[in-house]
Amino acid sequence: LFILCCVFGWKKRSNGKRRYTEVYIEVPRKNGKSFLSAAIGLYMFLCDHESGAEVYCGATSYEQALHVFNPASQMVERNQALKKKYRIRVMKKSLSLPDGSVFMPIIAKPKDGASPHCSILDEYHEHPTDELYQSQITGIGARDQPIILIITTAGKDIQSPCHEQHDRVLKNQQTKDGELVDEGLFGIIYSIDKDDDPYKIESLIKANPNYGVSVDRDFLERQLMNAIRYVNLRTDYLTKHLDVWVSQKSAYFDILAWQELGNKDLDIRDFETECDCFIAVDMSARFDLTVITTTFVRREKDGLKHLYVFQDSYLPEETVEDVSNPNYKRYQTMMRMDNRNTLSGKLLTITPGAEIDSDFIYAEIEEKIRRYNRLQEVIFDPWESRPIISKLSKNFPKLTILEMQQNTKNLSAGMKEVTGAIMSRRIHHDGNGILTWNMQNVESKTDSNGNEFPTNSNPKINKKDGAVTLIMTANRTENYEPKTSSSELILRGGGFRFF
């Protein structure tokens, strides 16, 4: 009732039209999302006085789209008076009216010319890109008072378009002048608060508005008890029944804690000349993601050693334009994003041709060497790096260059250092989306001695290169003490470096 009264009750004084154009509803499973969406869709289809209304229910699969369409179709079939009054034609894949209005499921971006009056995006957390949302939001311009309705449960990918909408709702607060950032956005999120104990029945009642109505009490209590007993069930319990965003089920790092440490105001220029730093390079395969990570080390007022992380990522042009690549949409989005802390000014730097040009990457590293006058080491994954290492050794004979074999011995300490830095809030980054995506994809293979090694169960899609380069620098900073004076001697690689 609260949702419907807000969405359809608030009007603009200037023209009497509805205030809200976008509606975001996030709620745990089995709380009637699809049923409510179907009712809203039917109202917009039949009763909103919009001639030729187009109502779509979109999802990542046809079966998911039917979760909204089928209840709507059943409502019509079970109410013959309604069906007769509006002369509704019920088909297997659509509802239609004599004036040309349609209500139908879609699983991909509709053809150009579509003009949705209402578009329902169900379980948006499953959408890998925002393509469907963008196609709908750009098509509503000709409608009087359209609605884009996103209705979903929390997910496990905080780099997803759904989590972006989640954050957008949270940030849509009143300004000092009492005005909202976006007057046309209505958002409501049913969940628990950070201080709530997720394993208490009170938390289930708090997060589930239909507790004991459309979602059975005994069922929820069984899910709670199973989550307490079995660790592997806790992620699904939190996301599906408490609407809590969590990291991937098998992720090694606490990605939500990592995200909280992001600060878009960080400027690499504040560190370039004042802080000791380490650079790590992962050339990867010639057609894949290449990464250069710079980690600055500084002891702060709390007495702890803090790490400040910045990253440049590169892909060859043909990889970015390859529509068969499973990350095509992600790369297309990333290449359009700016980042002032990279040499190119872009989040993702595109190199010409079909493969990464080692001369291009060498030039990028050389530029960083010249900028960072307190650079301690340049660390390489030896794979595909030998030509660059050879050239750097020749042109910068005093530079400390380290080849770090990708094994448990070298990477375990770095993984644990990053974990400890996240827990103690002494690692900082600029919110780099590629780095966060890579961090989210890191899993771990643990040996009998408790040593960790970064792995990935789906390397073709879930890249971890950026996270591995951070781990490489963290390995070298673990026992490193930042300089306090430019005249100190730093012991590295069996010799002395002078500053």
Side-chain angles (χ1 to χ4, degrees), residues 331-350:
Y331 292 153
Q332 287 289 311
T333 300
M334 289 174 170
M335 68 180 287
R336 293 192 292 266
M337 299 178 70
D338 296 328
N339 186 319
R340 66 179 178 183
N341 293 320
T342 64
L343 291 179
S344 68
K346 292 291 183 180
L347 178 64
L348 180 61
T349 302
I350 309 304

Side-chain angles (χ1 to χ4, degrees), residues 26-28 31 190-191 204-215:
E26 190 179 293
V27 64
N31 279 276
Y190 291 93
S191 185
L204 281 173
I205 296 171
K206 184 176 189 175
N208 291 270
N210 271 11
Y211 179 82
V213 182
S214 66
V215 57

Side-chain angles (χ1 to χ4, degrees), residues 201-371:
I201 194 66
E202 290 81 5
S203 293
L204 281 173
I205 296 171
K206 184 176 189 175
N208 291 270
N210 271 11
Y211 179 82
V213 182
S214 66
V215 57
D216 184 70
R217 297 175 183 175
D218 292 339
F219 168 79
L220 283 180
E221 289 175 15
R222 284 197 304 274
Q223 304 311 304
L224 186 156
M225 295 308 300
N226 285 336
I228 293 174
R229 292 191 188 103
Y230 307 110
V231 175
N232 63 313
L233 298 180
R234 291 178 183 174
T235 297
D236 282 347
Y237 167 75
L238 290 170
T239 55
K240 294 177 181 179
H241 302 300
L242 291 180
D243 197 62
V244 174
W245 285 84
V246 299
S247 58
Q248 296 286 357
K249 184 184 296 185
S250 53
Y252 178 77
F253 297 113
D254 184 341
I255 203 64
L256 294 180
W258 166 265
Q259 188 185 40
E260 290 178 357
L261 294 167
N263 179 3
K264 292 184 182 298
D265 293 331
L266 279 184
D267 192 331
I268 195 170
R269 292 172 296 183
D270 295 335
F271 302 87
E272 288 179 344
T273 60
E274 300 299 325
C275 295
D276 301 345
C277 70
F278 295 78
I279 291 176
V281 183
D282 182 357
M283 289 295 292
S284 300
R286 297 189 178 190
F287 318 107
D288 213 337
L289 196 65
T290 288
V291 177
I292 303 174
T293 295
T294 305
T295 299
F296 294 92
V297 189
R298 188 165 73 184
R299 190 167 292 282
E300 298 289 3
K301 294 178 181 179
D302 58 9
L304 299 176
K305 181 175 57 184
H306 285 244
L307 308 180
Y308 295 84
V309 185
F310 301 92
Q311 193 166 98
D312 295 74
S313 302
Y314 308 84
L315 271 178
E317 184 178 23
E318 290 194 14
T319 298
V320 175
E321 298 301 330
D322 180 7
V323 295
S324 66
N325 189 303
N327 284 316
Y328 170 73
K329 293 298 182 183
R330 188 185 294 269
Y331 292 153
Q332 287 289 311
T333 300
M334 289 174 170
M335 68 180 287
R336 293 192 292 266
M337 299 178 70
D338 296 328
N339 186 319
R340 66 179 178 183
N341 293 320
T342 64
L343 291 179
S344 68
K346 292 291 183 180
L347 178 64
L348 180 61
T349 302
I350 309 304
T351 64
E355 57 184 315
I356 286 290
D357 182 353
S358 62
D359 289 338
F360 184 95
I361 301 301
Y362 171 83
E364 296 280 289
I365 297 171
E366 184 178 53
E367 175 64 20
K368 290 178 179 293
I369 292 171
R370 299 189 187 282
R371 285 191 183 195

Side-chain angles (χ1 to χ4, degrees), residues 175-187:
T175 65
K176 291 181 179 179
D177 298 327
E179 295 184 2
L180 290 174
V181 176
D182 186 348
E183 288 277 1
L185 171 64
F186 173 82

Side-chain angles (χ1 to χ4, degrees), residues 364-433:
E364 296 280 289
I365 297 171
E366 184 178 53
E367 175 64 20
K368 290 178 179 293
I369 292 171
R370 299 189 187 282
R371 285 191 183 195
Y372 310 152
N373 63 5
R374 292 174 64 169
L375 174 62
Q376 303 302 304
E377 295 176 352
V378 180
I379 313 155
F380 285 90
D381 175 349
W383 175 262
E384 299 282 354
S385 297
R386 294 293 165 77
I388 293 180
I389 293 174
S390 177
K391 194 172 181 179
L392 282 174
S393 299
K394 179 180 177 181
N395 294 337
F396 298 92
K398 295 184 178 181
L399 179 67
T400 301
I401 301 172
L402 176 67
E403 291 187 24
M404 183 176 287
Q405 298 293 333
Q406 304 296 284
N407 54 39
T408 302
K409 178 182 177 181
N410 288 331
L411 299 182
S412 180
M415 291 180 71
K416 292 178 179 179
E417 170 66 5
V418 173
T419 300
I422 293 173
M423 293 175 62
S424 58
R425 303 187 67 82
R426 56 182 180 82
I427 191 168
H428 313 273
H429 58 93
D430 63 355
N432 185 302

